[in-house]
Amino acid sequence: MNLVALQTKTSDDFKKNLKKLKEQIQSCEDGSFILAPEVCLTGFAYERMDEAAEFAQKAIKKLKKYSENKIIAITLIEKEDIEFYNTLYIFHNKKIVHTQSKHKLFPLGDEPDYFTKGKLENMKIVDIDGLKVATLICFEVRFPEFWLKVQGADLILNPSMWGVKRKAHFETMTKALAVANQCYVLTANGADDNMAKGSGIITPWGDEYRNDSKDKIEHEMDLSEIKKIRKYIDIGLRKK
């Protein structure tokens, strides 16, 4: 499977952002697993939350169509009653196959003031066509107890909007996540001027495929490498 990490700038024009995302998705080969940066269609639009949530519902309809023969993972601003959530959607073959809302909100970004945290029970491994997939959204990667919840996954997703001042933290922790869990990590971070970039793919052996100059980074996932490292360095994940 071809893993694709997107690394794009988010403008104030929601429609322009969706058009760019569509172009990126359509440029990917069939069978790709594509991850977009956190809330990349709207950004953290705190002054336009209702507008962002309404736009997300329109985007969902289009993303379903774009996911024919592809898997697309993206977080969107979602509204339920009077509460807002930062919710991951995974689309595959025109269907929504998984959703989970961000549980650990980032205080330095004022997220707890605007979002309601998602249920911890939805942070779990899901099966997508035989592939075990789990997600830690941005700030959640900092918490070791969450690493245990995704232990045994073949692929861990990390959609982020991670600041440039903590770039070393972002790259170190996403690499460590792959090595500790002996799996692939697919991470997509924003490319705005204040963002760390660092999007890419990390293998179970800790090999990193990142390129801050590109808006799309690709690498082929080899599931046999997961089996190989879990057999060679047995830490109890072989049967998971």
Side-chain angles (χ1 to χ4, degrees):
M1 175 178 283
N2 185 45
L3 300 180
V4 182
L6 302 183
Q7 186 168 251
T8 53
K9 290 187 176 182
T10 298
S11 75
D12 293 332
D13 187 333
F14 298 168
K15 291 182 179 179
K16 180 179 177 181
N17 297 333
L18 181 57
K19 181 181 179 181
K20 173 63 176 177
L21 179 63
K22 177 185 177 181
E23 292 171 353
Q24 289 178 307
I25 291 169
Q26 291 180 334
S27 72
C28 298
E29 64 186 50
D30 283 352
S32 294
F33 197 125
I34 305 161
L35 178 65
E38 187 180 18
V39 294
C40 66
L41 294 183
T42 61
F44 288 96
Y46 292 152
E47 305 303 318
R48 304 166 65 189
M49 292 289 274
D50 281 300
E51 182 185 351
E54 289 175 10
F55 184 78
Q57 292 308 305
K58 296 176 183 177
I60 286 170
K61 294 178 181 178
K62 295 189 176 185
L63 287 163
K64 283 182 180 178
K65 296 178 183 178
Y66 304 159
S67 70
E68 184 175 9
N69 299 320
K70 295 172 183 174
I71 303 173
I72 304 167
I74 185 172
T75 77
L76 304 165
I77 293 177
E78 179 180 54
K79 187 176 184 181
E80 294 183 12
D81 296 324
I82 61 171
E83 297 178 321
F84 292 95
Y85 296 86
N86 180 352
T87 301
L88 170 87
Y89 280 81
I90 301 181
F91 303 90
H92 181 41
N93 282 335
K94 299 184 177 182
K95 295 180 180 179
I96 297 169
V97 296
H98 178 61
T99 63
Q100 75 182 69
S101 296
K102 189 174 185 178
H103 175 73
K104 189 61 86 169
L105 302 172
F106 185 48
L108 293 181
D110 297 327
E111 291 178 33
D113 295 336
Y114 293 92
F115 291 104
T116 298
K117 68 178 182 179
K119 296 178 180 178
L120 184 59
E121 62 205 53
N122 291 332
M123 188 189 293
K124 61 185 179 182
I125 296 172
V126 296
D127 188 295
I128 303 177
D129 282 356
L131 185 69
K132 295 178 180 179
V133 181
T135 304
L136 298 179
I137 302 172
C138 198
F139 186 50
E140 292 175 342
V141 79
R142 284 190 178 271
F143 297 85
E145 62 266 32
F146 297 158
W147 291 30
L148 296 176
K149 290 186 68 65
V150 299
Q151 195 175 62
D154 301 319
L155 175 66
I156 300 175
L157 310 177
N158 178 239
S160 293
M161 276 289 181
W162 197 287
V164 66
K165 291 181 179 179
R166 295 171 294 278
K167 179 178 176 66
H169 296 192
F170 175 69
E171 295 184 353
T172 299
M173 284 187 293
T174 49
K175 178 176 180 178
L177 182 63
V179 174
N181 285 279
Q182 298 180 325
C183 68
Y184 282 86
V185 167
L186 175 60
T187 184
N189 192 35
D192 296 357
D193 292 341
N194 62 338
M195 291 292 108
K197 296 185 179 179
S199 302
I201 300 97
I202 306 100
T203 76
W205 299 94
D207 297 324
E208 299 174 85
Y209 296 87
R210 309 186 198 247
N211 191 327
D212 286 358
S213 68
K214 293 186 176 182
D215 66 3
K216 185 176 69 172
I217 301 98
E218 303 180 70
H219 181 71
E220 196 73 20
M221 178 171 62
D222 184 352
L223 289 175
S224 69
E225 291 301 311
I226 298 173
K227 293 180 180 179
K228 188 185 298 182
I229 192 170
R230 289 181 180 178
K231 181 179 179 180
Y232 180 64
I233 306 174
D234 188 358
I235 60 172
L237 295 179
R238 290 177 64 179
K239 294 182 180 180
K240 286 199 174 187

